[in-house]
Amino acid sequence: MLFRSSTPEKSYRHFVHPTTWPAAPSDMSVTACAQIEQCPRRWALSTADYPDVWNGRGYPPALQVATLAGSVVHLAIEIILKRITRAGLSSVSDPAAPQVLRELGGFTRLVEDCVGRILGRYVDNPRAGAQMEHARRTLRGQVPQMRVRVQSMLSRLRLPNAPSAVAAATSPPDGPPRRLPLKNGIHPEVEVRAQSIRWKGKLDLLAVGPDSCTITDFKTGMPDEAHKVQVRAYAVMWRLDDELNPSGRLADRLVLAYEGQDVDVSPPGAPEIEDLSRDMVARRQAAEGALATRPPPARPDIETCRYCNVRQLCDAYWASANPFVSDDGRFGDVELRIVRRHGPTSWDAVVLRARDLPEKAPALLRLPDHGELAKGAKVRVLNGALVRDPEDNTVHVVVTVGVLSEVFHESPDDHRELSMH
């Protein structure tokens, strides 16, 4: 099934289902496992290759402005952490910290730079073009608040009196970097690998001292029980990483650092780590089993699907009778069949699938440009503005495509069969 975008960007016209479904990750991560458990089809569609769409990995992610601020804050914290640990400081309140921050341009300048870096990740993304300016203006307007968030989260940070450390890896000329045992010190952004159970993760901050070992995970969202599961899984991976941690040291403190508070999580001891590792193996095997099905099973759910990056490609989503509609009914997803051109930028259509709209109800689709749609084409609109008029027999709903909307359409001539192997 071939979908094209109606947006004017020439580089983003063709959208296809994957010709080959992706294999399960060779080493499972907490995020990937949770996504697969939630919906195997969603993970598979998101991570498959789409060479006809772009050169990036997976399906081009939508530019979700609401989540970008958290990414900016997390990146700024990461940069500052690396600098202050490299300088051997214990906190941003250290007398030498102002000099480190000046070298970074200060909090405001750093946050502004991080805005540019986060948006830079979408430069080659064909789905982002129409929303880039909106995202840029929105994030620039939030710089003062993001600066306060960064300062608040770092203000509570107290590192143990241990020397700073760099990544324990060397790069031999004839192979990948070697991972060497971590010495006592402060280690930001540490990738741990538990090869015996085939799991991996990235620790925001690992502090290893003579008599203590602390894992800190920075969270820019609201507290969630899933975060506790995640950081405890990190403790398991650290214990089982026989390259960075050959002595099998336990993490004796786990911290979730939120904007307003630090939350201590009970660290697992050696017996519990054995139980958790068995559970992690079982979860990985279940995820692998789900992804071995062709196509992987879909698990449509109202709350899950509304944030899905690939719902426009998922037939199970549209067949679920629960396409996303905002609480006030003003915005939502709708699948239409084009009947005829109505005006220069509008099209008569009928509803195929939409929540709270009758099938075959007459509709009017309004586009922001003069894009061409074929008669009989199936059109899927994400986040369109919906205006209903149940008393009008000629137009039951008007669907208007705005800056935050996306349109994908299938030509009636596009009937090529795609391999699902």
Side-chain angles (χ1 to χ4, degrees), residues 94-118:
D94 190 285
Q99 177 58 35
V100 173
L101 293 172
R102 279 195 294 270
E103 294 172 357
L104 292 172
F107 280 107
T108 298
R109 175 62 181 277
L110 175 61
V111 171
E112 291 173 342
D113 289 345
C114 288
V115 167
R117 291 176 62 174
I118 292 297

Side-chain angles (χ1 to χ4, degrees), residues 144-157:
Q145 298 96 312
M146 290 189 289
R147 181 196 65 222
V148 171
R149 292 174 65 184
V150 172
Q151 291 173 312
S152 174
M153 295 180 74
L154 288 175
S155 66
R156 301 188 307 273
L157 183 65

Side-chain angles (χ1 to χ4, degrees), residues 2-3 24 62 140-141 144 149 171 183 230 245 296 355 412:
L2 177 64
F3 285 89
R140 284 177 176 173
R149 292 174 65 184
S171 300
K183 300 179 179 179
Q230 180 180 23
N245 184 22
R355 194 190 310 175

Side-chain angles (χ1 to χ4, degrees), residues 114-388:
C114 288
V115 167
R117 291 176 62 174
I118 292 297
L119 290 179
R121 298 174 182 176
Y122 292 85
V123 168
D124 297 324
N125 184 325
R127 295 180 76 179
Q131 300 180 29
M132 281 291 281
E133 187 55 36
H134 167 72
R136 187 175 291 107
R137 289 197 304 267
T138 300
L139 289 178
R140 284 177 176 173
Q142 294 178 3
V143 165
Q145 298 96 312
M146 290 189 289
R147 181 196 65 222
V148 171
R149 292 174 65 184
V150 172
Q151 291 173 312
S152 174
M153 295 180 74
L154 288 175
S155 66
R156 301 188 307 273
L157 183 65
R158 296 294 182 272
L159 302 175
N161 293 323
S164 61
V166 296
T170 60
S171 300
D174 57 348
R178 291 177 296 176
R179 303 172 74 247
L180 302 178
L182 292 182
K183 300 179 179 179
N184 289 346
I186 311 303
H187 306 269
E189 297 297 310
V190 176
E191 183 179 271
V192 287
R193 301 176 192 167
Q195 296 179 357
S196 61
I197 61 172
R198 289 177 41 211
W199 277 72
K200 68 177 181 180
K202 181 170 286 188
L203 315 184
D204 287 342
L205 187 65
L206 175 68
V208 182
D211 304 310
S212 65
C213 181
T214 301
I215 296 173
T216 301
D217 200 33
F218 292 91
K219 296 297 184 184
T220 57
M222 298 298 294
D224 191 314
E225 287 299 312
H227 298 160
K228 297 180 181 179
V229 175
Q230 180 180 23
V231 76
R232 283 167 61 83
Y234 286 162
V236 174
M237 292 180 234
W238 161 247
R239 164 80 166 187
L240 300 181
D241 190 326
D242 55 9
E243 293 177 318
L244 299 187
N245 184 22
S247 64
R249 291 190 59 174
L250 293 168
D252 52 30
R253 189 183 181 207
L254 306 178
V255 181
L256 293 171
Y258 294 99
E259 181 178 346
Q261 61 177 332
D262 288 344
V263 176
D264 278 271
V265 178
S266 174
E272 191 176 4
I273 281 182
E274 292 184 9
D275 293 336
L276 289 173
S277 64
R278 283 193 291 268
D279 179 64
M280 291 167 69
V281 169
R283 290 180 64 193
R284 175 179 56 76
Q285 291 174 339
E288 292 171 343
L291 294 176
T293 305
R294 296 292 185 263
R299 296 168 183 164
D301 175 81
I302 293 177
E303 288 305 311
T304 300
C305 292
R306 67 181 297 181
Y307 301 110
C308 178
N309 181 59
V310 290
R311 64 187 189 274
Q312 68 276 11
L313 300 180
C314 183
D315 292 338
Y317 168 67
W318 296 99
S320 69
N322 282 312
F324 162 69
V325 175
S326 61
D327 293 338
D328 58 11
R330 296 173 58 193
F331 296 89
D333 299 347
V334 58
E335 186 178 63
L336 306 169
R337 179 78 71 186
I338 297 300
V339 175
R340 66 182 68 87
R341 182 183 284 276
H342 183 90
T345 60
S346 60
W347 297 82
D348 292 323
V350 294
V351 173
L352 294 180
R353 291 184 179 89
R355 194 190 310 175
D356 303 328
L357 288 174
E359 187 177 348
K360 297 184 179 180
L364 180 67
L365 174 63
R366 290 177 173 170
L367 302 176
D369 54 65
H370 293 75
E372 189 66 29
L373 295 174
K375 179 180 177 180
K378 181 189 296 183
V379 175
R380 290 173 177 175
V381 180
L382 306 186
N383 299 311
L386 307 178
V387 177
R388 297 171 176 82

